[in-house]
Each structure stands twice: as structure tokens, then as C-alpha cells.
Amino acid sequence: MRTYYIIQYNAKKYNTPHEVISNVNMELTEILENSGNFLTAFYAIIDIKEKTITYTNAGHNMMYILHVNQTISYLPNNGPVIGIAKNIDFSSCSEKLYFGDRIILYTDGLIEARNPAGIMFDTHRLLDTINKYSKADVDTFVIELCNYLKNFQAQAPITDDIALLVIDTVFH
């Protein structure tokens, strides 16, 4: 919970993702120092006026934008994990958004989910599902992705949190 407040405080204080994450890193490194623990994060600002997403990906999974023309943009990791060193300069990247683009954000528990044989869901299954349901409305897209994951896992235990956020852009 403390991490949430540190992020929230810095999000109110700074205007860009890299400033927020750089300052979160400074604070959390003091807490996590020598513990062996770290944090991954994907922090983004969607500017509906400029029609952009500006993000900092600190050691987190690659996120995706499914464009209305059915191409996929990758939002890769552009910085180290949080909490391992104080004076790290994180960077921000921006991607143009268009009406009908779909932003797909998720936690690593989704791609690291395993089936009873121990095989991970992995990014290739996620990308296959994104492509398969690329023309579906957002509700159907989320339902089908969750159903595919659930069927893949079968009765295997869930070992990590799984979160999924899908955003369709509707600005003109």
C-alpha cells in the first residue's frame, strides 16, 4: 500500500512519466535497499488532446497498441526495475494514437500463467489472441482473452496476480 501512495504523490507532483518513475525509484530504493526486492512498473499518460500515450516502462512486460489498421505497436521496456539503485534516469517514450486504437496493458501474471504441464501462456499466445479478436468489440475481446487463458490454465494453480486493462480510444 505504501508504494501506491508514493506513486500517487509523485504523479501529482510531476508532469511526465519519467519524472514520476525516477522519483518513485529514489524513494523506494531507500526502502528496498539491500532487501533483494524490486518493483516493475508501467506508467503512462494518455493525452486526449494530443492523441498520444507517453510512458515509462521500468522493467515491466512489453505492452501493446492494436491500431485500427490491425498493426500492433510494441511499448517495450525502456528502463531498469525500480528499487535497485537511487540515481537512475528513466526515460519516456511516446506513441501516436488514432481513433479506434486499442491499448492493452497487463501484469506479468497473465503471460507467466502455466498450464498443468508447466508450460507458460507467454507473449506469443497473448499476441495470437490479440490478433484473433482484433476486430471484436472491447467487451468481447476481454472476455475471449480471459476465456482462452482460463482454458489454457485448466486446473493448474494460479501463482501470481493477473490483471488486464484494455482501453479503446474514441477521441476524434
Side-chain angles (χ1 to χ4, degrees):
M1 194 57 129
R2 188 174 185 178
T3 303
Y4 169 78
Y5 292 116
I6 292 170
I7 293 170
Q8 185 180 40
Y9 170 78
N10 283 289
K12 290 178 182 176
K13 191 173 177 183
Y14 299 101
N15 295 323
T16 64
H18 71 272
E19 290 173 312
V20 172
I21 294 301
S22 292
N23 285 283
V24 166
N25 179 66
M26 289 282 286
E27 291 183 48
L28 286 179
T29 299
E30 290 179 19
I31 296 167
L32 298 174
E33 228 168 17
N34 301 318
S35 71
N37 294 319
F38 60 88
L39 174 75
T40 67
F42 182 88
Y43 184 85
I45 297 171
I46 298 172
D47 186 329
I48 59 174
K49 192 175 193 179
E50 296 296 321
K51 299 177 181 147
T52 58
I53 182 171
T54 302
Y55 68 93
T56 296
N57 187 340
H60 203 57
N61 313 313
M62 189 175 325
M63 301 298 166
Y64 304 103
I65 299 172
L66 173 63
H67 293 287
V68 70
N69 68 2
Q70 303 302 300
T71 62
I72 295 177
S73 288
Y74 301 90
L75 308 179
N77 178 322
N78 62 354
V81 296
I82 294 170
I84 57 169
K86 279 186 185 178
N87 297 315
I88 296 173
D89 289 324
F90 289 85
S91 62
S92 294
C93 295
S94 289
E95 183 80 28
K96 185 75 176 151
L97 296 171
Y98 301 93
F99 178 83
D101 283 354
R102 179 168 289 164
I103 303 165
I104 302 152
L105 310 173
Y106 59 96
T107 59
D108 61 353
L110 190 147
I111 59 172
E112 293 173 0
R114 295 180 184 275
N115 68 10
I119 298 167
M120 283 199 309
F121 189 75
D122 218 333
T123 54
H124 73 277
R125 285 184 183 81
L126 176 58
L127 286 169
D128 286 348
T129 308
I130 290 170
N131 284 315
K132 183 175 181 179
Y133 296 103
S134 64
K135 294 183 181 178
D137 63 83
V138 70
D139 292 336
T140 302
F141 178 87
V142 170
I143 289 167
E144 293 301 332
L145 176 54
C146 291
N147 285 338
Y148 183 45
L149 177 63
K150 185 177 178 181
N151 290 334
F152 174 81
Q153 284 184 287
Q155 299 302 317
I158 297 171
T159 58
D160 197 358
D161 64 294
I162 298 172
L164 173 67
L165 175 63
V166 179
I167 304 164
D168 278 356
T169 59
V170 293
F171 43 73
H172 292 280

